[in-house]
Amino acid sequence: QQKISQLKLFGRFSSAYINIMLLKNNFLLGLLLCIKISSSTVVVRKKASLSKNTATLTRSGGFSFPSFRKQQVTPTKEEDVSVSNYWYAVLHNWLYFLSLGLCIPTLPRVIASVVNEDGSTQVSARSSRIGGDVEGVDKLLTFLGVGALGALSDVVGRKIMIAIGALGYAMTIALQLSARRNNIKLLFIADVVDGATSCMNAVSSAYVVDSVQDPEKRAIAVGIFQGLSVGGAFIVGFPLAGILSNKNLAPRRPMMLACVLQIFNALLALLWTPESLSQKNRRPLASMLSFIRTDGNPVAALKRLFGKNADIILRAAAQAYTFAWFANLALNTVFVNYVNVVFGWGPQQSGPLLVVVGLMLAVVPRFAVSRFGLELSIQLGALIFALGYASIGIFARTNSTYFFFSIMICGLGAIVVPALTALVATRASDTERGAVLGALQTLQELCGAFAYPIYGRVLAAALQESSKVPTAAPFYLASACLLITLALAKLKHLGQDETKQKSSF
């Protein structure tokens, strides 16, 4: 409880400071404030069971790795695995998403420089369409393969798969950087590599579960893992991308750093990180192949959500989640291209706003869902999110201030996504909850495989000369999807039976 309250305090302070400092384009000071807050407010009490050679969080030093001695984690019945070992997973996932945060604001410009005939980095109709198609290939392959890669980590161990995920992303970035004018095939090859090796988050999550045997401590550890390794990485990555890609530096510079970080990440995994899965707990290869054929494939995962044997409310919640997640991906897909076309923003301007949005998505659900309950959070969230998207096209077509407030409205309405996730988890049985939540992640990748090409092509249609399609058309489409979510929630009374239950957010 003390850890949770301190993490909430960290979220409040960091959100306030970053809103003030980063939106003033004072990136360095904002970044220093993030580091100072994280090192001074997150305090973990020292316990006798923590080894001196494992990573710990301290008040004055933040992350501390006092020893490089290799340790083998072997769970036994008598002695639980040290809780501190999951910080290795936090570190690897943080480095991975730090690289992703460096690439997100700058990759559309790199794609534009490859696609545009004149080699310019300005977003065009063609670069928007191809960028969406490239990401769609990535998401499709991730949808098809992430379950198998996760199952493979049960056979060969976690650290080797963490290294493969890091090296795969490094190779992806290297291919993207090596692409030059009109070499579009290389962009698709790069995302094929990325989709075929994308398993970092899933395997790192499994590492956390391996390292913490106590169920109560495990829940806290997973929450800390997701918050720090994903949100914390983006807080640093987005502003840093803006700094490195300023007027005097090429937009490829942040991606170069991202590639180096992933090579370093892979070497750390291979040479230093202890294995969390002991030999006696590993799955035989034949058993893994049988699992993939029966339950470990994407079709079987989707059947858990939409199959005839699924709970009726669970099935309805999954249907609503499909439209909500598809709408949520509009920001991921066209945000950087949209602000470049409409406001002329580069990574320096878009990066800080992405940080603020990420913080809102991390902090707001923790307070709103528990206060309003699932039913109201789903319905009110879908409505506010839809209004936020619609207001981008109605009020913020040329005014950046109105656009900022529209994005803030979207951030408030995004509580619909974690609220539906909580509903799905609540309706699943105790024995299948993990599998159902894994199926939900599979559904996310499938939505991405369609959303990226569709939103990219809609924006491309708007950017054509003499086009009557509004530039904000992708956001109008997302708003319509959220209204479908709202209709399903009202018709199926989603969350009504759980309104008296307090969410774990």
Side-chain angles (χ1 to χ4, degrees), residues 336-407:
V336 175
N337 285 341
Y338 179 84
V339 297
N340 178 256
V341 170
V342 176
F343 304 117
W345 288 0
Q348 283 187 300
Q349 293 78 26
S350 62
L353 186 54
L354 286 171
V355 171
V356 176
V357 172
L359 283 170
M360 290 189 67
L361 295 178
V363 174
V364 171
R366 295 179 178 270
F367 301 98
V369 178
S370 58
R371 182 181 293 266
F372 298 138
L374 291 181
E375 182 180 21
L376 188 58
S377 295
I378 293 170
Q379 296 180 12
L380 191 62
L383 179 60
I384 293 175
F385 208 170
L387 291 175
Y389 272 139
S391 66
I392 292 176
I394 298 173
F395 302 110
R397 286 176 292 183
T398 56
N399 190 306
S400 59
T401 302
Y402 289 159
F403 178 77
F404 172 80
F405 285 112
S406 296
I407 293 297

Coordinates of all heavy atoms in Angstrom, one line a residue, residues 336-407:
V336 N 1.5 12.5 -35.4 CA 2.7 13.1 -35.9 C 2.6 13.7 -37.3 O 3.0 14.9 -37.5 CB 3.9 12.2 -35.8 CG1 5.2 12.8 -36.4 CG2 4.2 11.7 -34.4
N337 N 2.0 13.0 -38.2 CA 1.8 13.5 -39.5 C 0.8 14.6 -39.6 O 1.0 15.6 -40.3 CB 1.3 12.3 -40.5 CG 2.4 11.4 -40.8 OD1 3.6 11.7 -40.7 ND2 2.0 10.2 -41.2
Y338 N -0.3 14.5 -38.8 CA -1.3 15.5 -38.8 C -0.8 16.9 -38.3 O -1.0 17.9 -38.9 CB -2.5 15.1 -37.9 CG -3.6 16.1 -37.8 CD1 -4.6 16.1 -38.8 CD2 -3.7 17.0 -36.7 CE1 -5.6 17.1 -38.7 CE2 -4.7 17.9 -36.7 CZ -5.7 17.9 -37.6 OH -6.7 18.9 -37.6
V339 N 0.0 16.9 -37.2 CA 0.5 18.2 -36.6 C 1.5 18.7 -37.6 O 1.7 20.0 -37.6 CB 1.0 18.0 -35.2 CG1 -0.1 17.6 -34.3 CG2 2.1 17.0 -35.1
N340 N 2.2 17.9 -38.3 CA 3.2 18.4 -39.2 C 2.6 19.1 -40.4 O 3.0 20.1 -40.9 CB 4.1 17.2 -39.7 CG 5.1 17.7 -40.8 OD1 5.0 17.4 -42.0 ND2 6.2 18.3 -40.3
V341 N 1.5 18.5 -40.9 CA 0.8 19.1 -42.0 C 0.0 20.4 -41.6 O 0.1 21.4 -42.3 CB -0.2 18.1 -42.6 CG1 -1.1 18.7 -43.7 CG2 0.6 16.9 -43.3
V342 N -0.7 20.3 -40.5 CA -1.6 21.4 -40.1 C -0.9 22.6 -39.5 O -1.1 23.7 -39.7 CB -2.7 20.9 -39.2 CG1 -3.6 22.0 -38.7 CG2 -3.6 19.8 -40.0
F343 N 0.0 22.2 -38.5 CA 0.7 23.3 -37.8 C 2.2 23.4 -38.1 O 2.8 24.3 -37.6 CB 0.6 23.0 -36.3 CG -0.8 22.8 -35.8 CD1 -1.3 21.6 -35.3 CD2 -1.7 23.8 -35.9 CE1 -2.6 21.4 -34.9 CE2 -3.1 23.7 -35.5 CZ -3.5 22.5 -35.0
G344 N 2.7 22.5 -38.9 CA 4.2 22.6 -39.2 C 5.0 22.1 -38.1 O 6.2 22.5 -38.0
W345 N 4.5 21.4 -37.2 CA 5.3 20.9 -36.0 C 6.2 19.8 -36.4 O 5.9 18.9 -37.2 CB 4.3 20.4 -34.9 CG 3.6 21.5 -34.2 CD1 3.6 22.8 -34.5 CD2 2.6 21.3 -33.2 NE1 2.8 23.5 -33.6 CE2 2.1 22.6 -32.8 CE3 2.1 20.2 -32.5 CZ2 1.2 22.8 -31.8 CZ3 1.2 20.4 -31.5 CH2 0.7 21.7 -31.2
G346 N 7.4 19.8 -35.8 CA 8.3 18.7 -35.8 C 8.4 18.0 -34.5 O 7.6 18.2 -33.6
P347 N 9.4 17.1 -34.3 CA 9.5 16.4 -33.0 C 9.6 17.3 -31.8 O 9.2 16.9 -30.7 CB 10.8 15.6 -33.3 CG 10.9 15.4 -34.7 CD 10.4 16.7 -35.3
Q348 N 10.2 18.5 -32.0 CA 10.4 19.4 -30.8 C 9.0 19.8 -30.3 O 8.9 20.0 -29.1 CB 11.2 20.6 -31.2 CG 12.7 20.3 -31.3 CD 13.5 21.6 -31.6 OE1 13.3 22.3 -32.6 NE2 14.4 21.9 -30.6
Q349 N 8.1 20.1 -31.2 CA 6.8 20.5 -30.7 C 5.8 19.3 -30.3 O 5.1 19.4 -29.4 CB 6.1 21.4 -31.7 CG 6.8 22.7 -32.0 CD 8.0 22.6 -32.9 OE1 8.1 21.7 -33.7 NE2 8.9 23.5 -32.7
S350 N 5.9 18.3 -31.1 CA 4.9 17.2 -30.9 C 5.4 16.3 -29.8 O 4.5 15.7 -29.1 CB 4.8 16.3 -32.2 OG 6.1 15.7 -32.6
G351 N 6.7 16.1 -29.5 CA 7.2 15.3 -28.5 C 6.7 15.6 -27.1 O 6.1 14.7 -26.4
P352 N 6.7 16.9 -26.6 CA 6.2 17.2 -25.3 C 4.7 16.9 -25.2 O 4.3 16.5 -24.1 CB 6.5 18.7 -25.2 CG 7.7 18.9 -26.1 CD 7.5 18.0 -27.2
L353 N 4.0 17.2 -26.2 CA 2.5 17.0 -26.1 C 2.2 15.5 -26.0 O 1.3 15.0 -25.3 CB 1.8 17.5 -27.4 CG 0.3 17.5 -27.3 CD1 -0.3 18.1 -26.1 CD2 -0.3 18.2 -28.6
L354 N 3.0 14.6 -26.7 CA 2.9 13.2 -26.5 C 3.2 12.8 -25.1 O 2.6 11.8 -24.6 CB 3.8 12.5 -27.5 CG 3.4 12.5 -29.0 CD1 4.5 12.0 -29.9 CD2 2.1 11.7 -29.2
V355 N 4.2 13.4 -24.5 CA 4.5 13.1 -23.1 C 3.3 13.4 -22.2 O 2.9 12.6 -21.3 CB 5.7 13.9 -22.6 CG1 5.9 13.8 -21.1 CG2 7.0 13.4 -23.4
V356 N 2.7 14.6 -22.4 CA 1.6 14.9 -21.6 C 0.4 14.0 -21.8 O -0.3 13.6 -20.8 CB 1.1 16.4 -21.9 CG1 -0.1 16.8 -21.1 CG2 2.3 17.4 -21.6
V357 N 0.1 13.6 -23.0 CA -0.9 12.6 -23.3 C -0.6 11.3 -22.6 O -1.5 10.7 -22.0 CB -1.1 12.4 -24.8 CG1 -2.1 11.3 -25.1 CG2 -1.6 13.7 -25.5
G358 N 0.6 10.8 -22.7 CA 1.0 9.6 -22.0 C 0.8 9.6 -20.6 O 0.3 8.7 -19.9
L359 N 1.1 10.8 -19.9 CA 1.0 10.9 -18.5 C -0.5 10.9 -18.1 O -0.9 10.3 -17.1 CB 1.6 12.2 -18.0 CG 3.1 12.2 -17.9 CD1 3.7 13.6 -17.6 CD2 3.5 11.2 -16.7
M360 N -1.3 11.6 -18.9 CA -2.8 11.5 -18.7 C -3.4 10.1 -18.8 O -4.2 9.7 -17.9 CB -3.5 12.5 -19.6 CG -3.2 14.0 -19.4 SD -4.3 15.0 -20.4 CE -5.9 14.7 -19.6
L361 N -2.9 9.4 -19.8 CA -3.4 8.0 -19.9 C -3.0 7.1 -18.8 O -3.6 6.2 -18.4 CB -2.9 7.5 -21.3 CG -3.4 8.1 -22.5 CD1 -2.8 7.5 -23.8 CD2 -5.0 8.1 -22.6
A362 N -1.8 7.5 -18.2 CA -1.3 6.7 -17.1 C -2.0 7.0 -15.7 O -2.2 6.2 -14.9 CB 0.2 6.8 -17.0
V363 N -2.3 8.3 -15.5 CA -2.7 8.8 -14.2 C -4.2 8.9 -14.1 O -4.8 8.4 -13.1 CB -2.1 10.2 -14.0 CG1 -2.7 10.8 -12.7 CG2 -0.6 10.1 -13.9
V364 N -4.9 9.4 -15.1 CA -6.4 9.6 -15.0 C -7.2 8.4 -14.7 O -8.0 8.4 -13.9 CB -6.9 10.3 -16.3 CG1 -8.4 10.4 -16.3 CG2 -6.3 11.7 -16.5
P365 N -6.9 7.2 -15.4 CA -7.7 6.0 -15.1 C -7.6 5.6 -13.7 O -8.6 5.0 -13.1 CB -7.1 5.0 -16.1 CG -6.5 5.8 -17.2 CD -6.0 7.0 -16.5
R366 N -6.5 5.8 -13.0 CA -6.3 5.4 -11.6 C -7.3 6.0 -10.7 O -7.7 5.5 -9.7 CB -4.9 5.6 -11.2 CG -3.8 4.8 -12.0 CD -2.4 5.1 -11.5 NE -1.5 4.3 -12.2 CZ -1.1 3.1 -11.9 NH1 -1.6 2.5 -10.8 NH2 -0.2 2.4 -12.6
F367 N -7.7 7.3 -11.0 CA -8.6 8.0 -10.2 C -10.0 7.9 -10.7 O -11.0 7.7 -9.9 CB -8.2 9.5 -10.1 CG -6.8 9.7 -9.5 CD1 -5.7 9.9 -10.4 CD2 -6.5 9.6 -8.2 CE1 -4.4 10.0 -9.9 CE2 -5.3 9.8 -7.7 CZ -4.2 10.0 -8.5
A368 N -10.2 8.0 -12.0 CA -11.6 8.1 -12.5 C -12.3 6.8 -12.4 O -13.5 6.7 -12.1 CB -11.5 8.6 -14.0
V369 N -11.7 5.7 -12.8 CA -12.4 4.4 -12.8 C -12.8 4.0 -11.4 O -13.9 3.5 -11.2 CB -11.5 3.3 -13.5 CG1 -12.2 2.0 -13.5 CG2 -11.1 3.7 -14.9
S370 N -11.9 4.1 -10.5 CA -12.3 3.8 -9.1 C -13.4 4.7 -8.5 O -14.2 4.3 -7.7 CB -11.1 3.8 -8.2 OG -10.5 5.1 -8.2
R371 N -13.4 5.9 -9.0 CA -14.4 6.9 -8.4 C -15.8 6.7 -9.1 O -16.8 6.7 -8.4 CB -13.9 8.3 -8.7 CG -14.9 9.4 -8.1 CD -14.3 10.8 -8.4 NE -13.0 11.0 -7.7 CZ -13.0 11.6 -6.5 NH1 -14.1 12.0 -5.9 NH2 -11.9 11.7 -5.9
F372 N -15.8 6.5 -10.4 CA -17.1 6.4 -11.2 C -17.6 5.0 -11.3 O -18.8 4.9 -11.5 CB -16.9 7.0 -12.6 CG -16.5 8.5 -12.6 CD1 -15.6 8.9 -13.5 CD2 -17.1 9.4 -11.7 CE1 -15.2 10.3 -13.5 CE2 -16.7 10.7 -11.7 CZ -15.8 11.2 -12.6
G373 N -16.8 4.0 -11.1 CA -17.3 2.6 -11.4 C -17.1 2.3 -12.9 O -17.0 3.2 -13.7
L374 N -17.2 1.0 -13.2 CA -17.0 0.6 -14.5 C -18.1 1.1 -15.5 O -17.8 1.5 -16.6 CB -16.9 -1.0 -14.6 CG -15.7 -1.6 -13.9 CD1 -15.7 -3.1 -14.0 CD2 -14.4 -1.0 -14.5
E375 N -19.3 1.0 -15.2 CA -20.4 1.3 -16.1 C -20.3 2.8 -16.5 O -20.3 3.1 -17.7 CB -21.8 1.1 -15.5 CG -22.9 1.3 -16.4 CD -24.3 1.1 -15.8 OE1 -24.4 1.1 -14.5 OE2 -25.3 0.9 -16.5
L376 N -20.2 3.7 -15.6 CA -20.1 5.1 -15.9 C -18.8 5.4 -16.6 O -18.8 6.3 -17.5 CB -20.3 5.9 -14.7 CG -20.4 7.5 -14.9 CD1 -21.6 7.8 -15.8 CD2 -20.6 8.2 -13.5
S377 N -17.7 4.8 -16.2 CA -16.4 5.1 -16.8 C -16.4 4.7 -18.3 O -15.9 5.4 -19.1 CB -15.3 4.3 -16.1 OG -15.2 4.8 -14.8
I378 N -17.1 3.6 -18.6 CA -17.1 3.1 -20.0 C -18.0 4.1 -20.8 O -17.5 4.5 -21.9 CB -17.7 1.7 -20.1 CG1 -16.7 0.7 -19.5 CG2 -18.0 1.3 -21.5 CD1 -17.3 -0.7 -19.3
Q379 N -19.2 4.4 -20.3 CA -20.1 5.2 -21.1 C -19.6 6.7 -21.2 O -19.6 7.3 -22.3 CB -21.5 5.2 -20.5 CG -22.1 3.8 -20.6 CD -23.5 3.7 -20.0 OE1 -24.1 4.8 -19.7 NE2 -24.0 2.5 -19.8
L380 N -19.2 7.2 -20.1 CA -18.8 8.6 -20.0 C -17.4 8.8 -20.8 O -17.2 9.7 -21.5 CB -18.6 9.1 -18.6 CG -18.4 10.6 -18.4 CD1 -19.6 11.4 -18.9 CD2 -18.2 10.9 -16.9
G381 N -16.5 7.8 -20.6 CA -15.3 7.8 -21.3 C -15.4 7.8 -22.8 O -14.8 8.5 -23.5
A382 N -16.3 6.9 -23.3 CA -16.5 6.8 -24.8 C -17.1 8.1 -25.3 O -16.7 8.6 -26.4 CB -17.5 5.6 -25.1
L383 N -18.0 8.7 -24.6 CA -18.6 9.9 -25.0 C -17.6 11.1 -25.1 O -17.5 11.8 -26.0 CB -19.8 10.3 -24.1 CG -20.6 11.6 -24.5 CD1 -21.1 11.5 -25.9 CD2 -21.7 11.9 -23.4
I384 N -16.9 11.2 -24.0 CA -15.9 12.3 -23.9 C -14.8 12.1 -25.0 O -14.3 13.1 -25.6 CB -15.3 12.4 -22.5 CG1 -16.3 12.8 -21.5 CG2 -14.1 13.4 -22.5 CD1 -15.8 12.8 -20.1
F385 N -14.3 10.9 -25.1 CA -13.3 10.6 -26.1 C -13.8 10.9 -27.5 O -13.1 11.6 -28.3 CB -12.9 9.1 -26.0 CG -11.5 8.8 -26.5 CD1 -11.0 7.5 -26.3 CD2 -10.7 9.7 -27.1 CE1 -9.7 7.2 -26.6 CE2 -9.4 9.4 -27.5 CZ -8.9 8.1 -27.3
A386 N -15.0 10.6 -27.8 CA -15.6 10.9 -29.1 C -15.7 12.4 -29.3 O -15.4 12.9 -30.4 CB -17.0 10.3 -29.3
L387 N -16.1 13.1 -28.3 CA -16.2 14.6 -28.4 C -14.8 15.2 -28.6 O -14.7 16.2 -29.3 CB -16.9 15.2 -27.2 CG -18.4 14.9 -27.0 CD1 -18.9 15.4 -25.6 CD2 -19.2 15.5 -28.1
G388 N -13.8 14.7 -27.9 CA -12.5 15.2 -28.1 C -12.0 15.0 -29.5 O -11.4 16.0 -30.1
Y389 N -12.2 13.9 -30.1 CA -11.8 13.6 -31.5 C -12.5 14.6 -32.4 O -12.0 15.2 -33.4 CB -12.0 12.2 -31.9 CG -10.9 11.3 -31.6 CD1 -11.2 10.0 -31.1 CD2 -9.6 11.6 -31.8 CE1 -10.1 9.1 -30.8 CE2 -8.6 10.7 -31.6 CZ -8.8 9.5 -31.0 OH -7.8 8.6 -30.8
A390 N -13.9 14.7 -32.2 CA -14.7 15.5 -33.1 C -14.2 17.0 -33.0 O -14.2 17.7 -34.0 CB -16.2 15.4 -32.8
S391 N -13.9 17.4 -31.8 CA -13.5 18.8 -31.6 C -12.2 19.2 -32.3 O -12.0 20.4 -32.6 CB -13.4 19.2 -30.1 OG -12.3 18.4 -29.5
I392 N -11.4 18.2 -32.6 CA -10.1 18.5 -33.4 C -10.5 19.0 -34.7 O -9.9 20.0 -35.2 CB -9.3 17.2 -33.5 CG1 -8.7 16.8 -32.1 CG2 -8.1 17.4 -34.5 CD1 -8.0 15.5 -32.1
G393 N -11.5 18.4 -35.4 CA -11.8 18.9 -36.7 C -12.7 20.1 -36.7 O -12.7 20.9 -37.6
I394 N -13.5 20.3 -35.7 CA -14.5 21.4 -35.6 C -13.9 22.7 -35.2 O -14.1 23.7 -35.8 CB -15.7 21.0 -34.7 CG1 -16.4 19.8 -35.3 CG2 -16.7 22.2 -34.6 CD1 -17.5 19.2 -34.4
F395 N -13.1 22.6 -34.1 CA -12.6 23.8 -33.5 C -11.1 24.0 -33.6 O -10.6 25.1 -33.5 CB -12.9 23.8 -32.0 CG -14.3 23.7 -31.6 CD1 -14.8 22.5 -31.1 CD2 -15.2 24.7 -31.9 CE1 -16.2 22.4 -30.8 CE2 -16.6 24.6 -31.6 CZ -17.0 23.4 -31.0
A396 N -10.3 22.9 -33.9 CA -8.9 23.0 -33.8 C -8.2 22.8 -35.2 O -7.1 22.4 -35.3 CB -8.3 22.0 -32.8
R397 N -8.9 23.2 -36.3 CA -8.3 22.9 -37.6 C -7.1 23.7 -37.9 O -6.2 23.3 -38.6 CB -9.4 23.2 -38.7 CG -10.5 22.2 -38.7 CD -11.5 22.5 -39.7 NE -12.3 23.7 -39.3 CZ -13.4 24.2 -39.9 NH1 -13.7 23.7 -41.1 NH2 -14.0 25.2 -39.5
T398 N -7.0 24.9 -37.3 CA -5.8 25.8 -37.6 C -5.3 26.4 -36.3 O -4.3 27.1 -36.3 CB -6.2 26.9 -38.5 OG1 -7.3 27.7 -38.0 CG2 -6.5 26.4 -39.9
N399 N -6.0 26.2 -35.2 CA -5.6 26.8 -33.9 C -4.9 25.8 -33.0 O -5.6 24.8 -32.6 CB -6.8 27.4 -33.2 CG -6.4 28.3 -32.0 OD1 -5.7 27.9 -31.1 ND2 -6.9 29.5 -32.0
S400 N -3.6 26.0 -32.7 CA -2.9 25.0 -32.0 C -3.3 24.9 -30.5 O -3.3 23.9 -29.9 CB -1.4 25.3 -32.0 OG -1.1 26.6 -31.5
T401 N -3.8 26.1 -30.0 CA -4.3 26.1 -28.6 C -5.5 25.3 -28.4 O -5.7 24.5 -27.5 CB -4.6 27.6 -28.1 OG1 -3.4 28.3 -28.3 CG2 -5.1 27.6 -26.7
Y402 N -6.5 25.4 -29.4 CA -7.7 24.6 -29.3 C -7.3 23.1 -29.5 O -8.0 22.2 -29.0 CB -8.7 25.0 -30.4 CG -9.3 26.4 -30.2 CD1 -9.9 27.1 -31.2 CD2 -9.4 26.9 -28.9 CE1 -10.5 28.3 -30.9 CE2 -10.0 28.1 -28.6 CZ -10.6 28.8 -29.6 OH -11.2 30.0 -29.4
F403 N -6.3 22.9 -30.4 CA -5.9 21.5 -30.6 C -5.4 20.9 -29.3 O -5.7 19.7 -29.0 CB -4.8 21.4 -31.7 CG -4.3 20.1 -31.9 CD1 -5.0 19.2 -32.7 CD2 -3.0 19.7 -31.4 CE1 -4.5 17.9 -32.9 CE2 -2.5 18.4 -31.7 CZ -3.3 17.5 -32.4
F404 N -4.6 21.7 -28.6 CA -4.1 21.2 -27.3 C -5.2 20.8 -26.3 O -5.2 19.7 -25.7 CB -3.2 22.3 -26.6 CG -2.8 21.9 -25.2 CD1 -1.7 21.1 -25.0 CD2 -3.5 22.5 -24.1 CE1 -1.3 20.8 -23.7 CE2 -3.1 22.2 -22.9 CZ -2.0 21.3 -22.6
F405 N -6.2 21.6 -26.2 CA -7.3 21.3 -25.3 C -8.2 20.1 -25.9 O -8.7 19.3 -25.1 CB -8.2 22.6 -25.2 CG -7.6 23.6 -24.2 CD1 -7.2 24.8 -24.7 CD2 -7.5 23.3 -22.9 CE1 -6.7 25.8 -23.9 CE2 -6.9 24.3 -22.1 CZ -6.5 25.5 -22.6
S406 N -8.3 20.0 -27.2 CA -9.0 18.8 -27.7 C -8.2 17.5 -27.4 O -8.9 16.5 -27.0 CB -9.1 19.0 -29.2 OG -9.8 20.1 -29.6
I407 N -6.9 17.6 -27.4 CA -6.1 16.4 -27.1 C -6.3 16.1 -25.6 O -6.4 14.9 -25.1 CB -4.6 16.6 -27.4 CG1 -4.5 16.7 -28.9 CG2 -3.8 15.5 -26.9 CD1 -4.9 15.4 -29.7

